[in-house]
Amino acid sequence: PQAALLTLTDDALSLVLRYLSVPELGRVACVCKRMRSVSLRKELWAAEAAAVRRDGEEPTRPEREQAILGYVT
């Protein structure tokens, strides 16, 4: 079952990950390089942009990484 998730395309996987919270995305990012890459996709962070950046702009990849990894300790 877990390996089946990795057979999805990145776009399909991204659709699944949209249902996760930021802490959950942080845990997913620790699974493997591909999951980290997909968990940092811009479209997953549209709702979080205001929380990550005060100016309302879309967060940059380093900002998304910092936000995710902050939950993984």
Side-chain angles (χ1 to χ4, degrees), residues 36 40 45 52 59-69:
R36 180 183 177 115
L40 291 170
W45 287 85
V52 175
T60 63
R61 184 179 176 97
E63 289 170 332
R64 294 190 303 268
E65 280 184 343
Q66 184 178 9
I68 281 182
L69 296 178

Side-chain angles (χ1 to χ4, degrees), residues 10 29 32-41 44 61:
D10 285 356
C32 64
K33 289 179 182 181
R34 179 170 176 235
M35 293 298 275
R36 180 183 177 115
S37 176
V38 173
S39 68
L40 291 170
R41 292 179 96 178
L44 295 176
R61 184 179 176 97

Side-chain angles (χ1 to χ4, degrees), residues 2-62:
Q2 292 176 352
L5 187 63
L6 294 175
T7 63
L8 296 173
T9 65
D10 285 356
D11 290 335
L13 191 53
S14 182
L15 290 173
V16 172
L17 296 182
R18 285 183 186 185
Y19 291 95
L20 301 181
S21 66
V22 173
E24 292 168 329
L25 281 173
R27 289 189 286 278
V28 166
C30 293
V31 172
C32 64
K33 289 179 182 181
R34 179 170 176 235
M35 293 298 275
R36 180 183 177 115
S37 176
V38 173
S39 68
L40 291 170
R41 292 179 96 178
K42 291 179 185 179
E43 61 266 21
L44 295 176
W45 287 85
E48 300 297 326
V52 175
R53 293 195 57 178
R54 293 181 184 184
D55 60 9
E57 292 294 318
E58 189 173 289
T60 63
R61 184 179 176 97

